Amino acid sequence: MLDDEPGRKRRRLWVHPIVAQRPQKGQFHKLYTDLRLDANKFKSYCRMSIETFDYLLICLHPDLNFMDTCMRRSISAEQRLLVTLRFLATGNYFASLHFEFLLGISTISGIVCHTCKVIWQRLREAVMPTPTAADWLRIADGFYQSAQFPNCIGALGGKHIRVKKPPHSGSRYFNYKQYFSVVLMALADSDYKFVIVDIGAYGSTSDSRIFSVSRMGERLRQNQLALPEPSRLPGSAGPPAPFVIVADEGFAVSPHLMRPFPRRDLDVWKRIFNYRLTRARRYVECAFGILSSKWRVFQSSIQMKPDNATLVIQACVMLHNFTRIHDASTDADLGLNMTSSVSLDLSRPGRPGTAGLAVRELFADYFISPEGALSWQMDAIRGSR
């Protein structure tokens, strides 16, 4: 027999006997039906309600449904989605999912990557559309109601997603936290949903640099984000203020991007501004916390190539917004006038940040004015609250 010849590699099995028992012993066939009988258990398993899962399946079904062949039956769209959600919800290795679902390791890898790509493509326009001027006004109203920061159109931040070191990548992915990562740069609203994201930058790159070269940053500089026209701050008779994004010290100040005052030599005026800005900026940090708490693939290093890790992050961002929209009512969130007649010239000459400094001063003045002050802000900056 040829298979018995010395040195010849033995022929691999077409289907391993254990995998062949998938219809009888696989987790999908044994557990899925029972899970649908218990709403709480189903949500714990899939990180979404049964109704939301069914609607998601309807949205993705055309791209997850494959034809049976004369060689084998195709894996159903339901099973493909369930395998992917379980991977995203737990971060389990493909080898572990192999023994749970009795699918080949390479099959699971292909299913996860394809389904993540489909989630990004199918849901993007529905759950993270390009914002219009009306959308920015709605977001600004949300920040004013929840964080008392007027004319704020989003909180900007970056999150390092731990990944396996790509071969021959040098130190490009090695970040200041001493591990390998890619960066999720996101703009979040006051409902902890992501408005705009940029995914996949090297972990060694600074947040400011990532933002400046991203499509989001480029469009902001060129006034292509359809931002509303500047408007007066509530109750103020001062000059109109532009709509702004709030961020931390890692970003450069500009007319549409506010960052805190440097921590040295802070007086009351600056400390109050920093406090008010931090109250608004926390929403992006909370959004990152909700994201990584729900989708625990982020709790450990993603053992995939950077391109595939980017697909996973994109899918989780889409699912985050999708569940915030459809399961928001059941989610537990984190416990979370000085009159002036001087006009504000945003085009005055000087360094690029000069106009941004003028905008920051306008907001800082407003926050200590009778129209913009909060009753507890002095106690907060003194540490009594």
Side-chain angles (χ1 to χ4, degrees), residues 8-231:
R8 183 180 179 85
K9 186 176 179 180
R10 296 187 62 185
R11 182 181 301 169
R12 296 174 59 186
L13 296 168
W14 175 250
V15 178
H16 195 280
I18 294 179
V19 175
Q21 300 180 67
R22 182 171 68 247
Q24 296 79 35
K25 298 183 178 180
Q27 195 166 108
F28 174 79
H29 297 87
K30 290 184 63 177
L31 190 61
Y32 177 67
T33 303
D34 293 336
L35 280 174
R36 293 187 65 91
L37 300 177
D38 190 313
N40 291 330
K41 293 294 185 183
F42 188 94
K43 188 169 186 178
S44 177
Y45 190 87
C46 294
R47 299 296 193 267
M48 62 183 65
S49 66
I50 298 174
E51 296 76 16
T52 301
F53 176 88
D54 289 342
Y55 181 58
L56 177 62
L57 183 62
I58 291 173
C59 295
L60 307 181
H61 191 273
D63 293 318
L64 297 184
N65 190 43
F66 293 86
M67 294 180 58
D68 294 336
T69 70
C70 59
M71 303 295 292
R72 63 176 67 186
R73 293 175 59 86
S74 64
I75 299 169
S76 68
E78 279 181 302
Q79 187 169 1
R80 289 173 176 271
L81 181 57
L82 195 72
V83 168
T84 303
L85 292 179
R86 194 58 185 161
F87 168 72
L88 300 178
T90 63
N92 284 352
Y93 292 120
F94 292 153
S96 177
L97 296 174
H98 159 68
F99 290 106
E100 294 178 19
F101 289 92
L102 299 185
L103 291 164
I105 295 175
S106 60
T107 301
I108 292 176
S109 175
I111 287 174
V112 168
C113 291
H114 176 257
T115 305
C116 286
K117 185 176 181 180
V118 170
I119 289 172
W120 170 259
Q121 294 173 341
R122 284 281 180 174
L123 298 187
R124 186 174 182 182
E125 288 302 317
V127 304
M128 201 174 65
T130 302
T132 63
D135 294 326
W136 293 126
L137 289 173
R138 176 184 52 79
I139 293 171
D141 183 65
F143 273 102
Y144 184 61
Q145 297 299 325
S146 60
Q148 293 76 53
F149 198 110
N151 287 25
C152 176
I153 57 170
L156 179 68
K159 178 176 176 59
H160 286 272
I161 309 297
R162 192 186 297 262
V163 297
K164 180 178 69 173
K165 180 186 182 301
H168 314 298
S169 61
S171 60
R172 290 195 298 270
Y173 291 90
F174 196 69
N175 63 35
Y176 70 97
K177 298 182 179 181
Q178 307 298 304
Y179 60 82
F180 296 93
S181 67
V182 295
V183 178
L184 164 60
M185 182 70 61
L187 185 71
D189 64 15
S190 61
D191 191 36
Y192 311 108
K193 295 197 296 290
F194 298 115
V195 181
I196 303 176
V197 295
D198 182 85
I199 302 169
Y202 296 140
S204 62
T205 311
S206 68
D207 286 348
S208 180
R209 174 64 178 167
I210 294 171
F211 180 72
S212 66
V213 301
S214 68
R215 187 164 179 263
M216 173 175 29
E218 183 67 23
R219 293 181 66 195
L220 182 66
R221 285 194 301 274
Q222 296 180 0
N223 296 317
Q224 295 178 350
L225 286 181
L227 299 183
E229 291 296 319
S231 64

